[in-house]
Amino acid sequence: MENMQYAEELVREFLIFRGFTNTLQTYETELRTDIGKGFQVDKIMDLIFSVYIPKFQAEKLYGLLSFFEQYLSSSLSEAVLIGTLSKLEASILRYYIVHALQVGRSDRVVDFFAMRGRELLERSHDWTPWFAIPYIKNPHLDPEFHIYFSKEWFEAMHLSVRNFFCEIFNGSRLPALLKISSDANSTNSLKRDIRQLNLKLSQLQVLLEEKEEQLVQLRSVEGSNDSSSILHEEENGEDVYVEEDFPEVKVEHQETFLGHTSPISRCRFSASGNNIASASLDGTVRIWTYDSSTPASRNATIYCGTEILSLDWENKSDRLLLIGTSDGCIKAWNVDAKRVVCDLNTTKTFPSVLDVKCSPVEPIFVSAAASGGGVSNNLDNLGFASLTVWNMKTWKAMTVLPLGEDPPAITSLCFNHNGKILAASAIDGMIHMFDMSCGLQITGWPAHDSSISSILFGPDETSIFSLGSDGKIFEWSLQNQGQILWSRNCSRLRYPGDLKYCRHEMALDFSGRRLLVTSGSVRAPIYQVQGRRSGWRTLAHAASVTTVDWHPTLPIFLTGSADNSVRVTSL
């Protein structure tokens, strides 16, 4: 039934597109009176024997029979049915001739042979005697033709035709329109299987890397008692990891996108991972693909005319991209329609849309707007915050989340897996947690002595990661608030003083084991959150790495750079 409804919608869509309004009205009327909701052989039989033949519509009759022949010819396994159809077609056309003679319309027989005579002779010489039938005085008495005028022959032929049509459209031989939905479901099922297999493969690869690292360390211990390591040194009693000494990641494939003409400020994978959105300082957003098997029909360039501070993809349909700007605008771009479907505006008091995040479940998103400017990477100058929840069906503001009086600007947002909890980080170093079902803050704690530029839920959502503007990264326990589970200090990789336009950010891979962080260096560090290995370095850009993201299901990451390029790297 679901396939039938989907096919009906496709027909309706096509008729509207072509402007066949009269046909559409008839179609709607027949749908309303359709009881069986399936193949109805009686209507085809009525069309042939109660309309086309009695009204002498030979061309329409011939066209219908040709359609069935073409339909069966599309499958090589239907040779038997094609042979049967050829015999039944000859019988139906002969009945057309017999009926015309029975009602005294021999002229219709002459017209029929004038139109189709040559074609019939090319098919079979059995038709040769029939060319004389309109000139025979009593054809029903002629030994050559009298059988065709009998009631028994007609009833046998009628039953054979009915049985044949029932066989054509049995449950295993569906029209192409009804197969579309089934094929789409099968394709989606295969894609899910592929994602699960890729996930399992990536987990095995991570496990293999850990075992290899353990083996290397065991060999190192056997060969030398030197306690120093090239990956870390002791400083003030703490492990300090020198990112410059991290080994390069093992790359399977890397592609560089050079479509931008100014430094990259943001880049994001779509929810499916098939498309990428990247923004540059000149106010341009580009949507593109990295996989040649993915259609490029969604590729587009969006000119916003102002600085772009945030990007996020809608999670359900994978069709909408939200763009937050420095002039208080939030644009919703439909990648299939290739146009802005909604242009929202925050209040003039909060012009800088520092972040936007779509719920993974509900048709809503949250915007974090600030009263200060978003041009400088000095987060302390961003002013006060406003958190607004928007409805993506009506494109109207639903509520403003409470933050207290004159709250410091919110820089980063993150939903948990079911969209019930929203985490927000602020320039005063606070982490705020909101219950989205009631729109209230449920907890919060001071996480950094400086501004927080990026925040992420851990893979099992029992922890949350925060990146401070001072370069310190903490993984906080959500079960024991205030407890630090893991930390790193990448302050040496902060942006140089002339890089005024970027905020540091981080991205966690789908396994939750690898944390990719932006860098003032030409290489970005990838910290291993769990396991013995310290981390890796990305391959070098020509300038600082200004934005990062991970593919939602595969070991593939994005890096955008001040060298105007975006890279897709497959591990």
Side-chain angles (χ1 to χ4, degrees):
M1 180 62 71
E2 180 183 351
N3 291 353
M4 186 72 72
Q5 292 174 346
Y6 182 66
E8 290 170 359
E9 287 300 317
L10 290 179
V11 174
R12 185 179 287 108
E13 180 183 49
F14 176 76
L15 293 177
I16 293 173
F17 174 76
R18 291 297 306 274
F20 296 156
T21 53
N22 292 333
T23 307
L24 178 63
Q25 293 176 21
T26 304
Y27 175 64
E28 298 283 6
T29 301
E30 292 200 342
L31 282 180
R32 286 193 294 270
T33 58
D34 181 24
I35 299 175
K37 297 293 183 182
F39 173 60
Q40 298 182 40
V41 66
D42 290 335
K43 290 196 173 184
I44 297 179
M45 298 296 288
D46 288 343
L47 186 64
I48 294 174
F49 295 102
S50 300
V51 179
Y52 289 166
I53 292 177
K55 294 184 179 181
F56 306 110
Q57 296 177 353
E59 282 299 301
K60 292 183 179 180
L61 176 62
Y62 207 89
L64 179 64
L65 297 174
S66 297
F67 161 75
F68 286 119
E69 184 177 350
Q70 183 179 5
Y71 173 72
L72 293 176
S73 299
S74 61
S75 175
L76 296 176
S77 62
E78 307 291 4
V80 174
L81 286 177
I82 293 174
T84 304
L85 174 62
S86 179
K87 296 176 182 177
L88 289 176
E89 181 181 3
S91 295
I92 292 171
L93 294 177
R94 285 169 180 173
Y95 177 70
Y96 174 89
I97 296 170
V98 167
H99 172 75
L101 294 173
Q102 285 176 328
V103 297
R105 295 300 305 269
S106 58
D107 58 312
R108 291 291 187 175
V109 180
V110 173
D111 293 341
F112 174 73
F113 283 128
M115 288 187 298
R116 295 293 176 180
R118 183 186 298 274
E119 188 174 340
L120 292 174
L121 286 174
E122 290 176 353
R123 290 190 175 191
S124 173
H125 290 293
D126 292 343
W127 278 98
T128 304
W130 285 81
F131 283 79
I133 198 170
Y135 309 105
I136 298 175
K137 188 173 183 180
N138 294 306
H140 63 285
L141 299 176
D142 191 289
E144 181 81 32
F145 304 111
H146 76 90
I147 185 65
Y148 299 103
F149 288 84
S150 68
K151 182 180 179 181
E152 292 78 12
W153 179 84
F154 170 76
E155 290 176 348
M157 181 269 295
H158 192 278
L159 180 61
S160 297
V161 172
R162 180 187 178 85
N163 291 341
F164 177 77
F165 287 135
C166 289
E167 174 63 21
I168 287 182
F169 291 112
N170 64 21
S172 62
R173 195 179 288 105
L174 295 174
L177 269 179
L178 289 180
K179 294 178 182 177
I180 291 177
S181 181
S182 299
D183 291 346
N185 291 335
S186 299
T187 301
N188 290 334
S189 177
L190 288 172
K191 287 182 177 179
R192 285 193 296 270
D193 291 343
I194 291 171
R195 284 196 294 268
Q196 291 174 355
L197 289 172
N198 282 324
L199 176 60
K200 188 173 182 179
L201 175 61
S202 299
Q203 291 171 342
L204 291 173
Q205 287 174 334
V206 170
L207 182 61
L208 178 61
E209 290 171 356
E210 291 179 358
K211 296 300 181 183
E212 288 178 345
E213 179 64 20
Q214 292 174 13
L215 184 60
V216 169
Q217 290 182 351
L218 287 173
R219 287 173 177 171
S220 177
V221 170
E222 291 175 358
S224 172
N225 290 324
D226 187 359
S227 61
S228 63
S229 171
I230 63 169
L231 294 179
H232 62 88
E233 59 189 46
E234 293 295 322
E235 181 179 291
N236 298 326
E238 297 181 354
D239 284 344
V240 177
Y241 290 79
V242 183
E243 289 82 359
E244 289 83 352
D245 291 333
F246 284 175
E248 278 191 348
V249 291
K250 297 178 181 179
V251 174
E252 180 182 90
H253 176 71
Q254 187 173 75
E255 183 176 341
T256 302
F257 178 71
L258 300 173
H260 288 279
T261 57
S262 64
I264 310 301
S265 56
R266 285 290 179 269
C267 63
R268 295 289 183 267
F269 276 109
S270 65
S272 67
N274 292 332
N275 297 100
I276 294 170
S278 53
S280 52
L281 282 187
D282 57 6
T284 300
V285 177
R286 291 184 179 270
I287 297 173
W288 46 287
T289 59
Y290 65 95
D291 186 349
S292 59
S293 65
T294 301
S297 57
R298 289 181 166 185
N299 290 10
T301 302
I302 310 162
Y303 300 99
C304 296
T306 186
E307 184 185 4
I308 297 159
L309 303 179
S310 50
L311 294 175
D312 197 38
W313 289 87
E314 186 258 341
N315 288 287
K316 285 291 186 179
S317 66
D318 211 33
R319 294 178 180 174
L320 292 176
L321 173 70
L322 299 182
I323 306 168
T325 68
S326 61
D327 62 355
C329 183
I330 303 172
K331 298 179 183 295
W333 176 268
N334 187 306
V335 293
D336 291 330
K338 288 193 173 183
R339 64 183 182 90
V340 174
V341 294
C342 191
D343 218 334
L344 305 174
N345 285 283
T346 60
T347 62
K348 293 182 179 179
T349 310
F350 300 98
S352 299
V353 185
L354 299 181
D355 203 4
V356 287
K357 276 293 180 294
C358 294
S359 167
V361 177
E362 302 293 331
I364 63 171
F365 74 91
V366 180
S367 64
S371 60
V375 177
S376 173
N377 64 356
N378 186 354
L379 300 182
D380 298 326
N381 295 332
L382 293 176
F384 302 120
S386 175
L387 283 183
T388 306
V389 183
W390 303 83
N391 187 309
M392 298 182 71
K393 290 185 176 179
T394 62
W395 296 110
K396 292 182 179 180
M398 297 171 58
T399 186
V400 176
L401 297 178
L403 285 168
E405 186 177 354
D406 296 334
I410 298 295
T411 56
S412 181
L413 302 170
C414 185
F415 276 102
N416 74 331
H417 74 286
N418 59 17
K420 292 183 177 180
I421 303 296
L422 176 74
S425 62
I427 59 173
D428 62 351
M430 286 289 296
I431 292 177
H432 304 275
M433 306 287 283
F434 294 89
D435 183 344
M436 295 302 293
S437 61
C438 60
L440 296 176
Q441 183 170 339
I442 52 176
T443 188
W445 68 93
H448 289 259
D449 295 329
S450 64
S451 304
I452 303 176
S453 60
S454 184
I455 193 170
L456 295 169
F457 274 101
D460 56 3
E461 299 189 352
T462 60
S463 65
I464 196 164
F465 290 83
S466 60
L467 170 61
S469 60
D470 58 1
K472 292 181 179 179
I473 306 171
F474 297 120
E475 181 186 9
W476 300 92
S477 171
L478 294 178
Q479 298 172 333
N480 298 302
Q481 188 171 305
Q483 179 185 357
I484 297 175
L485 303 176
W486 177 88
S487 65
R488 288 294 181 268
N489 186 347
C490 57
S491 57
R492 65 183 58 78
L493 298 179
R494 284 184 294 177
Y495 295 131
D498 60 341
L499 208 59
K500 296 293 185 182
Y501 48 80
C502 291
R503 287 175 283 143
H504 275 291
E505 64 177 7
M506 57 183 173
L508 198 63
D509 79 337
F510 62 93
S511 70
R513 292 173 174 268
R514 292 175 285 205
L515 188 71
L516 176 61
V517 184
T518 53
S519 170
S521 168
V522 296
R523 301 173 186 266
I526 304 175
Y527 297 102
Q528 180 159 319
V529 180
Q530 301 175 17
R532 291 175 172 271
R533 187 186 292 272
S534 303
W536 304 264
R537 292 184 301 162
T538 64
L539 301 188
H541 277 273
S544 299
V545 179
T546 53
T547 179
V548 293
D549 196 24
W550 279 97
H551 190 285
T553 58
L554 298 175
I556 301 174
F557 63 83
L558 282 175
T559 51
S561 172
D563 64 7
N564 307 350
S565 72
V566 181
R567 282 184 178 171
V568 185
T569 304
S570 301
L571 299 184

